[in-house]
Amino acid sequence: MIPRPLIVVLALVLAACGLTRPPSMDAAEEDSFEDDVRTARTLTEEFWKQQFDRLGETYRPIADFIPYSGTSGPSCGGEPSVPNNAFYCPVGHFIAYDQDWMEALWNEMGDGSVYLIIPHEFGHSVQAQLGTGFELNVQMELQADCYAGGTLSALVNSGALTAQPGDENELLLSLAAAGDPTDDWLNPAAHGTAEQRQQAFVQGYRGGVGAC
């Protein structure tokens, strides 16, 4: 799961970078929240299908993509969903998101937030499919950040999403505001310091998902 502070920072980054409505980040200039959510899911899954094809593997699409509101979301392994969140559930192989919360970010900060939150959660689904093992939660989260960066850059480079010159430098500066206050990797809830999360995202954005 992406912590709310990081999502807010990333959304603000895209607002600062010009990756907002109008114009839409989607090259097709879709202009509704539902359109952007659908496009982000479609583009991200198509991207990963191509990546798996190159490896001679078969990508398994998620079983469901579930919008919910507040506390009405699906449980995952006996754990209830919570408001203001998005998550991948390996039990059932699905992604769920609080649509009211995500739409509020979309309205207030631009559509870029959708194109970061959704690829991050798909990054977790890819980890599950590849059987990637981690000793610490922070390792899993940093790789998902890296995957999100790699996915976003691939979609921008393909022309599916739009960006402006100088976006990367602004992204680096703004990402410095995100992350855990201390470098406590043994904390089971740790996601990485600002520098670590910034580095992971940029590693993927510059080097592609293969660098993750």
Side-chain angles (χ1 to χ4, degrees), residues 36-112:
D36 280 321
V37 169
R38 181 169 53 252
T39 299
R41 174 190 178 179
T42 300
L43 291 178
T44 301
E45 285 215 285
E46 179 58 31
F47 166 75
W48 279 113
K49 180 181 182 300
Q50 293 174 6
Q51 294 300 306
F52 273 62
D53 286 346
R54 292 191 183 101
L55 295 173
E57 302 289 344
T58 300
Y59 174 76
R60 184 163 63 98
I62 58 172
D64 210 347
F65 193 65
I66 306 171
Y68 67 92
S69 179
T71 59
S72 68
S75 63
C76 178
E79 294 294 325
S81 57
V82 297
N84 304 331
N85 196 24
F87 64 93
Y88 165 71
C89 180
V91 183
H93 190 49
F94 67 83
I95 289 173
Y97 61 95
D98 185 332
Q99 62 182 349
D100 297 332
W101 163 72
M102 193 183 292
E103 186 168 9
L105 290 177
W106 184 88
N107 280 319
E108 296 168 10
M109 302 174 188
D111 57 359

Side-chain angles (χ1 to χ4, degrees), residues 137-207:
N137 184 71
V138 67
Q139 295 172 308
M140 177 177 68
E141 293 299 334
L142 290 177
Q143 188 183 59
D145 285 338
C146 185
Y147 279 162
T151 301
L152 183 60
S153 66
L155 296 177
V156 169
N157 290 336
S158 71
L161 301 181
T162 58
Q164 296 179 0
D167 284 345
E168 184 176 347
N169 289 335
E170 293 182 21
L171 185 64
L172 287 172
L173 292 172
S174 297
L175 279 172
D180 297 334
T182 60
D183 188 9
D184 183 8
W185 278 46
L186 296 181
N187 183 337
H191 286 66
T193 65
E195 183 178 0
Q196 290 161 353
R197 300 207 71 161
Q198 180 190 53
Q199 183 178 12
F201 185 89
V202 172
Q203 181 177 345
Y205 196 88
R206 290 183 174 176

